[in-house]
């Protein structure tokens, strides 16, 4: 085997199919998008080279709402960090402490992750329905009639109404990741902590969390990058509406390319999304590296 | 020696792996890229994409499936492969496919602005030579208008559509209201219904075309077709007092709460469902909705009448002007291997869809159907629309197909802003000016 690995030709030949596949499916489209983003092109007709005009337009033309969409994604990211991950962690720590019906709760919390986003979107759409929706019915029954509204039809509330199910849906996912990570920590450590008289909270902050740091890093990356890539839930609930109030970069990109026939401009959005996700990844990596030193 | 042979084997294995995976890729590509393949028995395979799926509730789709089956039964030399998607998704899909040169042989489209970029990019087969005098004499006058670009014909429509105001008589009677004949009466009716806690007009503007339909009609009522056409093609300003009048009236409807409260979060199917469940008094939509409204599962079956959108007091349009016409249709991909066969199938699709749509009370025909239709089976609700349409003095194209891609989208978004009270009617007109320039 060692001999085989020394033979560069063999390495090349073995890797060629996978590399080729990867290049055609993943790498080439990214670079093509980069190329398209420099064009003014309706997808079919003549391609006009416009350099970085599309990028300039993204950040200067307020009518096109790209900055608003970025702001909305940022909101999703912030709430993921402040609510989704801590909630997942809390559940994981509680459950791993040996609660009665541990497996049962794990399954329950994991259910939203398994259900397709389209179904969840439909469910929440019904919850928000102004006439017979659960939310308004509840508000009416407890006497808060003035608070009832068309949650998804109101520019003021739509973003919060869309973010809630996005956050809710994946709490179970992060809980499971944290939980399995905690379970893989040696039980001796917890026993030792107990003997030394550490409280549960002390154990959580001094032992559990530091030991599962690699998993926290992974989850942080998933959660941040996922926030900027969100598409499905927004598409099902509002499709970016009303009047762009719940637009995220991905919905705006699809709309620009396929509805407005502006391939070049839409590709510029795609490139920015890729760049943002990539830099977030690097940022988290760097943050944890600095922390380790 | 032993080592060397082992190394040889490894290299050869790797090579085989590489080659086989490459060939696997290329066969796949061939299958995908080459939609029309002639099988060994001489059969011609044509791919057809459309909006029409297999939902039995969707009667237009059922008619289409039936038509395709008949075509294959009549001509054993042709095999048709179908693919479909829901309206908005379909529009996305077909644009992407045409751009990537992966369009099927024949595909469903809309005349005017939607097909224009396809024609300009030279992706659509010109069909003038196939249109013999015999065919031309059987087509109803004017139905090809939306498929003519630069004087050449590029496709055949399948049906004539128009929008009507569907009114639930039962709800109106319960509140002692009469059918609105003028726009002012409509506003009063909406006010009364809203106060009584009933949604006056069911609207699902998450499907943005649905809100477009309402304003298209109001624009035509206010300006008249001739002037509206001028304004939309940029030959007159949107600040024109008549257009502003349309915007003000639309704004008035929105202000009195005429539309579903969270219209922006509902799609058209959900709005239609609200109407067929008797939760809303009116529904403004295409004649194709008749089938749903009078279907066996509908709770308002028999209670509904269809009337033209009411006239406006100071409007230049008359009640006999309509928006719509023969826009839905099919075109042939320029790269098809079998243009002759494709046209044969296209013509059959167009004729059969016309016949079935009319017989099933969905839409009006574009062909002279002779005595092939059993008039006694026509749905009474649909008959009302056909009756009104026969009085028509003119049609104007749907505005979202009149405009090209981005202008159509900007128009619909501006309209949603107006409906939510985000902009004033004056600002709306100003925005429209910016869009069309």
């Amino acid at each position: 085997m060692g001999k085989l690995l020394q033979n560069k030709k063999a390495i090349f030949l073995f890797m060629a199919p996978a590399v080729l596949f990867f290049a055609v499916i993943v790498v080439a489209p990214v670079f093509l998008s980069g190329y398209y983003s420099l064009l003014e092109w309706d997808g079919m007709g003549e391609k006009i080279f416009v350099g970085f005009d599309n990028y300039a337009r993204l950040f200067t033309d307020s009518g096109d709402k790209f900055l608003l969409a970025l702001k909305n994604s940022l909101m999703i990211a912030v709430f993921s960090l402040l609510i989704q991950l801590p909630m997942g962690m809390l559940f994981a720590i509680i459950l791993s402490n040996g609660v009665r019906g541990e497996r049962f709760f794990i399954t329950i919390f994991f259910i939203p992750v398994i259900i397709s986003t389209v179904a969840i979107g439909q469910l929440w759409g019904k919850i928000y329905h102004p006439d017979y929706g659960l939310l308004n019915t509840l508000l009416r029954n407890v006497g808060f009639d003035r608070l009832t509204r068309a949650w998804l039809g109101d520019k003021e509330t739509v973003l919060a109404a869309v973010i809630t199910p996005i956050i809710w849906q994946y709490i179970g996912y992060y809980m499971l990741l944290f939980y399995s990570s905690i379970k893989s920590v040696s039980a001796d450590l917890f026993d030792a902590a107990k003997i030394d008289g550490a409280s549960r909270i002390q154990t959580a902050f001094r032992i559990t969390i530091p030991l599962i740091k690699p998993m926290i890093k992974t989850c942080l990356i998933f959660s941040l990058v996922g926030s900027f890539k969100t598409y499905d839930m927004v598409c099902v609930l509002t499709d970016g509406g009303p009047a762009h109030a719940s637009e995220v970069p991905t919905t705006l990109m699809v709309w620009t390319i396929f509805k407005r026939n502006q391939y070049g401009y839409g590709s510029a959005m795609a490139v920015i999304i890729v760049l943002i996700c990539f830099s977030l990844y690097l940022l988290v990596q760097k943050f944890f590296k600095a922390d380790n030193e | 020696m032993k080592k060397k042979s082992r190394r040889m084997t490894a290299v050869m294995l790797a090579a085989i792996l590489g080659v086989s995976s490459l060939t696997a890729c290329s066969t796949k590509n061939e299958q995908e890229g080459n939609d029309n393949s002639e099988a060994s028995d001489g059969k011609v395979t044509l791919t057809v994409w459309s909006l029409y799926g297999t939902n039995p509730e969707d009667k237009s789709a059922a008619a289409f499936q039936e038509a395709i089956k008949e075509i294959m039964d009549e001509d054993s030399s042709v095999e048709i492969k179908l693919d479909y998607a829901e309206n908005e998704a379909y529009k996305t899909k077909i644009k992407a496919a045409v751009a990537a040169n992966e369009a099927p042989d024949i595909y469903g489209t809309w005349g005017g602005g939607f097909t224009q970029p396809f024609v300009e990019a030279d992706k659509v087969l010109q069909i003038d030579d196939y249109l013999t005098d015999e065919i031309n004499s059987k087509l109803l006058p004017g139905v090809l208008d939306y498929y003519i670009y630069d004087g050449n014909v590029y496709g055949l429509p399948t049906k004539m559509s128009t929008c009507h105001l569907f009114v639930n008589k039962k709800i109106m009677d319960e509140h002692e209201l009469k059918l609105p004949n003028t726009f002012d009466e409509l506003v009063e009716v909406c006010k009364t219904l809203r106060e009584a806690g009933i949604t006056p007009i069911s609207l699902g503007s998450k499907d943005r075309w649905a809100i477009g339909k309402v304003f298209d009609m109001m624009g035509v009522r206010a300006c008249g077709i001739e002037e509206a056409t001028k304004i939309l093609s940029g030959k007159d300003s949107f600040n024109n007092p008549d257009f502003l009048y349309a915007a003000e009236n639309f704004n008035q409807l929105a202000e009195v709460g005429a539309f579903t409260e969270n219209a922006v979060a509902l799609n058209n199917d959900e709005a239609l469902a609200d109407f067929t469940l008797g939760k809303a008094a009116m529904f403004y939509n295409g004649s194709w909705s008749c089938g749903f409204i009078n279907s066996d599962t509908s709770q308002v079956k028999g209670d509904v009448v269809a009337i033209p959108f009411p006239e406006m007091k100071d409007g230049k349009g008359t009640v006999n002007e309509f928006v719509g016409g023969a826009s839905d249709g099919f075109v042939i991909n320029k790269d098809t291997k079998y243009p002759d066969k494709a046209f044969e199938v296209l013509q059959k699709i167009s004729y059969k869809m016309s016949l079935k749509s009319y017989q099933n009370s969905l839409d009006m025909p574009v062909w002279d159907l002779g005595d092939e239709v059993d008039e006694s089976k026509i749905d009474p609700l649909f008959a009302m629309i056909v009756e009104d349409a026969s009085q028509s003095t003119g049609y104007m194209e749907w505005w979202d197909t009149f405009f090209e891609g981005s202008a159509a989208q900007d128009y619909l978004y501006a309209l949603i802003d107006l409906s939510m009270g985000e902009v004033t009617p004056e600002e709306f007109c100003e925005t429209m000016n910016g869009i069309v320039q």
Side-chain angles (χ1 to χ4, degrees):
Chain A
M1 198 62 204
K3 278 267 159 60
L4 190 63
L5 280 177
Q6 278 168 8
N7 185 343
K8 300 287 186 286
K9 270 185 208 150
I11 296 174
F12 176 77
L13 272 168
F14 273 117
M15 286 195 43
V19 169
L20 211 69
F21 200 67
F22 183 74
V24 172
I25 305 291
V26 181
V27 181
V30 172
F31 281 97
L32 270 179
S33 292
Y35 165 63
Y36 291 151
S37 71
L38 305 176
L39 305 172
E40 192 186 317
W41 184 36
D42 68 358
M44 276 162 267
E46 202 184 341
K47 296 173 183 159
I48 304 161
F49 189 82
V50 293
F52 287 93
D53 281 8
N54 284 331
Y55 291 94
R57 205 177 129 200
L58 279 179
F59 295 101
T60 51
D61 192 338
S62 63
D64 286 333
K65 309 283 179 193
F66 188 70
L67 288 176
L68 175 79
L70 277 185
K71 202 190 94 206
N72 287 346
S73 298
L74 199 66
M75 291 296 278
I76 300 178
V78 167
F79 280 101
S80 299
L81 282 188
L82 292 184
I83 298 174
Q84 199 174 45
L85 293 182
M87 288 281 271
M89 178 69 87
L90 184 72
F91 286 140
I93 291 176
I94 292 175
L95 288 174
S96 61
N97 262 339
V99 178
R100 189 195 289 252
E102 194 176 317
R103 303 291 329 163
F104 172 75
F105 284 115
I106 295 243
T107 314
I108 294 284
F109 289 135
F110 200 64
I111 284 178
V113 184
I114 304 167
I115 304 176
S116 105
T117 307
V118 179
I120 291 183
Q122 292 289 347
L123 283 175
W124 282 82
K126 297 288 175 286
I127 290 176
Y128 292 133
H129 195 284
D131 297 334
Y132 53 80
L134 207 59
L135 188 55
N136 276 356
T137 315
L138 184 80
L139 287 172
R140 265 185 223 117
N141 286 344
V142 294
F144 287 116
D145 283 55
R146 270 189 316 144
L147 288 180
T148 62
R149 58 182 74 214
W151 298 94
L152 291 174
D154 189 325
K155 274 182 122 170
E156 304 293 317
T157 55
V158 65
L159 191 60
V162 171
I163 290 179
T164 309
I166 295 177
I167 303 287
W168 170 80
Q169 184 185 8
Y170 286 110
I171 287 180
Y173 179 68
Y174 296 113
M175 177 209 68
L176 194 75
L177 289 179
F178 288 139
Y179 174 82
S180 56
S181 184
I182 293 172
K183 281 287 165 181
S184 67
V185 174
S186 162
D188 300 350
L189 287 171
F190 293 114
D191 292 340
K194 218 178 224 171
I195 292 165
D196 286 347
S199 71
R200 282 197 173 174
I201 294 173
Q202 277 173 325
T203 317
F205 281 98
R206 297 283 167 82
I207 300 189
T208 318
I209 294 181
L211 279 174
I212 61 167
K213 223 178 219 168
M215 185 53 88
I216 295 178
K217 185 176 93 180
T218 311
C219 289
L220 209 58
I221 291 172
F222 276 156
S223 165
L224 280 176
V225 171
S227 304
F228 280 88
K229 291 198 308 186
T230 311
Y231 175 76
D232 40 12
M233 189 65 88
V234 180
C235 177
V236 174
L237 281 175
T238 62
D239 203 9
H244 293 297
S246 62
E247 206 83 68
V248 289
T250 45
T251 52
L252 200 63
M253 172 188 83
V254 170
W255 179 66
T256 307
I257 292 183
F258 293 111
K259 294 285 161 59
R260 305 184 75 190
N261 293 356
Q262 297 176 345
Y263 272 61
Y265 190 41
S267 299
M269 293 180 186
V271 171
I272 295 287
I273 296 171
V274 170
L275 285 180
I276 287 177
C277 290
F278 198 64
S279 22
L280 280 174
Y281 171 75
L282 291 180
L283 206 71
V284 173
Q285 292 281 16
K286 205 165 173 206
F287 177 76
F288 272 81
K289 216 175 193 175
D291 201 43
N292 276 344
E293 276 161 8
Chain B
M1 183 63 207
K2 205 177 172 189
K3 265 183 201 159
K4 205 172 183 185
S5 71
R6 198 190 284 167
R7 190 185 292 169
M8 280 293 289
T9 329
V11 171
M12 272 179 64
L13 273 174
I16 290 165
L17 226 143
V19 171
S20 60
S21 70
L22 279 178
T23 45
C25 275
S26 63
T27 29
K28 194 160 171 256
N29 281 342
E30 255 167 45
Q31 274 166 359
E32 275 176 2
N34 188 357
D35 280 322
N36 31 33
S37 51
E38 200 157 357
S40 51
D41 55 356
K43 254 195 177 186
V44 172
T45 307
L46 293 171
T47 322
V48 179
W49 286 7
S50 71
L51 285 183
Y52 307 116
T54 48
N55 173 11
E57 287 284 305
D58 183 350
K59 295 191 178 169
S60 298
F64 178 76
Q65 300 284 352
E66 224 178 271
I68 293 294
K69 204 171 163 289
E70 279 177 25
I71 293 170
M72 287 203 279
D73 288 346
E74 282 165 20
D75 185 352
S76 59
S77 71
V78 61
E79 192 183 324
I80 297 170
K81 280 191 188 153
L82 296 178
D83 198 358
Y84 61 90
E86 168 281 326
N87 194 323
E88 293 280 327
Y90 179 77
K91 285 176 178 158
T92 308
K93 180 175 166 163
I94 193 69
K95 277 182 197 172
V98 173
N101 280 326
E102 280 169 5
D105 299 286
I106 300 172
Y107 52 92
T109 180
W110 293 264
F114 189 85
T115 309
Q116 193 169 348
F118 302 169
V119 172
E120 277 170 3
D122 200 21
K123 308 268 190 184
V124 183
L125 187 74
Q126 192 187 316
I127 57 170
D128 297 77
D129 296 343
Y130 293 105
L131 293 171
T132 59
D133 289 344
E134 195 204 333
I135 293 177
N136 275 326
S137 69
K138 284 190 80 181
L139 279 164
L140 295 177
V143 296
L144 292 179
D145 287 358
Y146 300 160
Y147 283 92
I148 295 175
Y149 300 90
D150 273 338
N152 299 315
V153 185
Y154 285 89
L156 289 179
T158 51
K159 56 192 189 181
M160 291 266 277
S161 311
T162 175
C163 280
H164 255 59
L165 188 64
F166 295 100
V167 187
N168 187 329
K169 279 279 287 181
K170 210 168 126 194
I171 295 181
M172 299 296 269
D173 290 344
E174 275 167 17
H175 294 87
E176 291 168 1
L177 294 165
K178 63 184 186 60
L179 293 178
N181 282 321
T182 65
F183 183 75
D184 293 337
E185 284 174 25
L186 178 68
V187 173
E188 285 310 313
V189 165
C190 290
K191 268 189 198 163
T192 315
L193 288 167
R194 182 50 85 190
E195 276 160 22
I198 290 177
T199 303
I201 304 175
S202 193
L203 174 71
S205 58
K206 193 183 167 199
D207 281 334
R208 296 174 196 113
W209 59 263
I211 196 171
K213 297 275 176 279
V214 181
F215 191 79
D216 292 358
M217 187 72 252
M218 293 183 64
V220 167
R221 286 284 181 269
C223 307
I225 288 181
E226 199 180 329
E227 198 177 301
T229 311
K230 256 194 203 161
I231 296 174
L232 260 62
S233 30
K235 289 182 192 124
D236 198 345
S237 160
F238 283 91
N239 297 103
N240 174 313
D242 293 322
F243 192 84
L244 180 63
Y245 181 58
E248 281 168 347
N249 279 335
F250 184 85
N251 191 43
Q252 197 187 354
L253 271 189
E255 274 178 356
V256 301
F259 304 115
T260 309
E261 211 181 338
N262 67 330
V264 282
L266 298 180
N267 63 32
N268 187 58
D269 291 345
E270 289 168 309
L272 174 62
D274 278 348
F275 182 72
T276 55
L277 288 170
K279 285 184 180 168
M282 290 174 273
F283 182 54
Y284 182 77
N285 218 283
S287 46
W288 55 81
S289 312
C290 290
F292 293 97
I293 293 169
N294 270 354
S295 80
D296 292 333
T297 51
S298 163
Q299 292 178 22
V300 296
K301 189 178 178 182
D303 295 337
V304 177
V305 293
I307 58 171
F309 196 86
E311 271 181 307
M312 291 178 186
K313 196 171 63 187
D314 299 324
K316 288 191 179 153
T318 69
V319 78
N320 289 330
E321 284 171 318
F322 290 97
V323 189
S327 175
D328 294 62
F330 284 82
V331 296
I332 301 173
N333 183 354
K334 199 170 184 222
D335 295 332
T336 182
K337 272 191 184 169
Y338 314 102
D340 298 352
K341 206 71 181 171
F343 180 78
E344 220 176 275
V345 171
L346 172 70
Q347 193 209 330
K348 281 183 183 171
I349 292 178
S350 165
Y351 184 82
K352 283 178 192 293
M353 275 299 278
S354 256
L355 177 64
K356 286 175 200 297
S357 299
Y358 185 58
Q359 181 69 75
N360 293 324
S361 311
L362 299 164
D363 290 291
M364 287 157 282
V366 293
W367 295 82
D368 180 2
L369 299 172
D371 50 6
E372 283 197 63
V373 180
D374 182 353
E375 298 280 350
S376 67
K377 284 187 183 153
I378 299 291
D379 181 280
L381 185 59
F382 180 65
M384 291 180 206
I385 297 176
V386 177
E387 171 64 26
D388 287 337
S390 68
Q391 311 284 318
S392 137
T393 52
Y395 279 94
M396 181 172 187
E397 203 174 330
W398 311 117
W399 291 11
D400 56 353
T401 53
F402 187 100
F403 294 125
E404 271 186 78
S406 78
Q409 290 301 315
D410 292 341
Y411 157 60
L412 295 175
Y413 265 95
L415 197 53
I416 287 179
D417 275 342
L418 181 64
S419 77
M420 294 179 65
E422 294 287 325
V423 296
T424 63
E426 287 80 9
E427 284 167 343
F428 172 72
C429 296
E430 207 44 61
T431 312
M432 288 305 293
N433 265 333
I435 290 167
V436 171
Q437 249 114 66

